[in-house]
Amino acid sequence: MNALSNTFDVAIIGGGVIGLGVARALAQRGVRDVLIVERSSLGAEASSAAAGMLAPQAEADTADDFFQLCCQSRDLYPAFAQSLYAETGIDIELETSGTLYLAFTEEDERELVKRYEWQTRAGLEVEQLSASTAKLLEPCISERVCAGLRFPLDTQVENRRLISALATANEALGVNVLTGVSVDSLNIKRNRVTGIETSRGFVACEKVVIAGGAWTSQVINEALPNPRIEPVRGQMVSFEATPQITRHVIYSPRGYVVPRRDGRLLAGSTTEHAGFDKRVTAAGVQSIVTSALEISASIARLPLTSTWAGLRPRAADGLPVLGPCAEIAGVFYATGHYRNGILLTPITAELLVRAIVDEEVSPPLQIFLPDRFQLVTVS
Ligand code: GLY
């Protein structure tokens, strides 16, 4: 714990993919003393619970600023994966076979037509599939499919390998890491952060990045804008599929399945407000399995090998919270990524480094600044 007697250039609260991504990018830009403080172990929460889809086109309803941010980040992934591999030898299994979105009812079909129309108008890559073409692409798809879309640029990564790769890269870059240490508050003097109070004592630092995911609210005090991050539970189910039954990630409006190289087929998910309760429920598993079987009846014969749940960090307006805090010098936010933490890791790291090192609040960041939220009111 000698590390704690240092003054750090930047302390990052949270060792999920966002905190790890920002730490790596800072160290690569030459910031020397970077510290990650993680309450549990690296990537233990939403980062490892996620399914790793990089699928903005499959998930969006409009081409708004958030969608543009998601697409920008998705498009950074090939270079991001390549550089992580060069630094660590860890392949994050970026799959480029594309994503399918299937309709099983007339209402689903109307939804698909709308999505196809706005995306083609916006000049995005999307292909319309008849039921028979969809089944030709992926014979496992249910006979009840009516139509589909294929998003060739929407992909996926193995998020648990991403955590390992980022952790290894940070180790090689000399980033300091404290795990099993919680942060209670930020120490602020004359409108400037001077350090963090942790369960292991005070740590002095010049700058702080709040990347606490669902636990962000625990470090926000009355001097700071409060995005009111709440945990939104997502349950997951994993089947054993050797040989794998699909090459594509496949969505329906009610769920998704994600094939992994190691023979797992992941299926998700639920969207529940259950506080910090990460337990899996019978109703959760039932709804995920029902949606998965609607996509492919072949799943019925697969052994169900694992279930888990994660807590998505959702800000009050559902959008990420990124960049410097205007009220307190030295405080930066990188949180509230909700359903898109894995997807938004590369762009978050890039934008935060520009804000921290170059003091540049670039246009994409301006929309997601923490100051769109009020300060905490003390009653
Ligand atoms: N991004 C998928 C999910 O949150 O379930």
Side-chain angles (χ1 to χ4, degrees):
M1 290 304 291
N2 287 341
L4 288 187
S5 56
N6 285 350
T7 293
F8 291 91
D9 293 323
V10 184
I12 298 173
I13 305 171
V17 286
I18 297 295
L20 287 165
V22 173
R24 167 178 173 262
L26 286 170
Q28 286 178 329
R29 273 298 300 276
V31 180
R32 285 184 61 83
D33 288 314
V34 179
L35 171 71
I36 295 174
V37 186
E38 163 55 44
R39 49 181 285 287
S40 174
S41 54
L42 294 178
E45 300 293 349
S47 301
S48 50
M53 285 101 70
L54 310 176
Q57 288 182 245
E59 296 198 5
D61 294 322
T62 53
D64 57 11
D65 292 323
F66 174 65
F67 174 72
Q68 306 299 349
L69 186 79
C70 289
C71 289
Q72 253 183 295
S73 200
R74 176 195 63 189
D75 299 343
L76 291 174
Y77 251 98
F80 186 60
Q82 222 170 33
S83 56
L84 278 171
Y85 185 70
E87 287 160 49
T88 67
I90 298 172
D91 178 359
I92 64 168
E93 299 182 359
L94 177 67
E95 290 293 347
T96 53
S97 40
T99 293
L100 304 186
Y101 190 102
L102 304 179
F104 293 97
T105 66
E106 282 180 15
E107 198 186 329
D108 292 354
E109 255 189 291
R110 282 194 291 276
E111 182 58 43
L112 253 68
V113 169
K114 268 202 277 179
R115 193 160 295 212
Y116 179 76
E117 284 176 351
W118 78 256
Q119 296 207 2
T120 43
R121 268 200 310 275
L124 297 161
E125 276 194 56
V126 48
E127 299 157 12
Q128 238 170 349
L129 306 174
S130 64
S132 54
T133 329
K135 276 196 63 65
L136 266 180
L137 264 180
E138 289 293 3
C140 76
I141 290 173
S142 159
E143 295 297 335
R144 295 181 48 217
V145 66
C146 317
L149 297 176
R150 179 167 181 272
F151 302 103
L153 302 182
D154 276 2
T155 55
Q156 62 139 321
V157 286
E158 206 328 345
N159 42 297
R160 294 181 185 177
R161 293 179 73 89
L162 174 63
I163 297 164
S164 305
L166 285 169
T168 306
N170 276 308
E171 200 181 334
L173 287 160
V175 169
N176 301 276
V177 175
L178 287 174
T179 54
V181 176
S182 58
V183 176
D184 301 324
S185 61
L186 273 59
N187 200 289
I188 294 163
K189 291 218 170 77
R190 286 185 221 93
N191 292 334
R192 165 165 286 284
V193 71
T194 59
I196 51 178
E197 296 290 350
T198 79
S199 54
R200 302 275 283 273
F202 178 73
V203 180
C205 59
E206 302 281 330
K207 289 171 183 158
V208 169
V209 178
I210 300 173
W215 284 264
T216 294
S217 297
Q218 295 182 358
V219 299
I220 301 288
N221 67 17
E222 64 274 14
L224 298 165
N226 186 3
R228 303 197 305 284
I229 307 276
E230 61 163 342
V232 179
R233 185 167 70 188
Q235 300 186 38
M236 293 293 299
V237 172
S238 178
F239 303 95
E240 188 185 313
T242 34
Q244 195 49 268
I245 65 167
T246 166
R247 286 179 306 121
H248 294 82
V249 172
I250 309 179
Y251 280 81
S252 82
R254 289 161 290 283
Y256 51 78
V257 295
V258 181
R260 285 283 157 81
R261 283 188 206 168
D262 63 4
R264 287 179 306 143
L265 182 72
L266 313 187
S269 180
T270 58
T271 302
E272 303 165 86
H273 299 266
F276 287 89
D277 185 347
K278 287 195 295 179
R279 286 177 295 183
V280 169
T281 64
V285 172
Q286 184 186 35
S287 80
I288 294 166
V289 171
T290 303
S291 305
L293 292 179
E294 184 187 41
I295 291 171
S296 171
S298 313
I299 291 171
R301 66 175 165 76
L302 300 179
L304 191 163
T305 46
S306 178
T307 60
W308 64 92
L311 302 176
R312 306 177 184 94
R314 187 185 187 283
D317 59 5
L319 295 173
V321 189
L322 306 173
C325 162
E327 286 81 8
I328 307 297
V331 175
F332 297 81
Y333 286 59
T335 188
H337 292 78
Y338 190 34
R339 291 179 169 274
N340 295 286
I342 305 297
L343 172 61
L344 291 172
T345 295
I347 193 78
T348 299
E350 211 166 87
L351 293 172
L352 264 286
V353 166
R354 271 192 242 155
I356 295 167
V357 179
D358 304 322
E359 298 184 13
E360 176 195 326
V361 180
S362 39
L365 212 54
Q366 279 159 19
I367 297 144
F368 302 105
L369 289 172
D371 304 293
R372 68 183 191 270
F373 297 100
Q374 304 287 310
L375 300 187
V376 173
T377 44
V378 192
S379 51

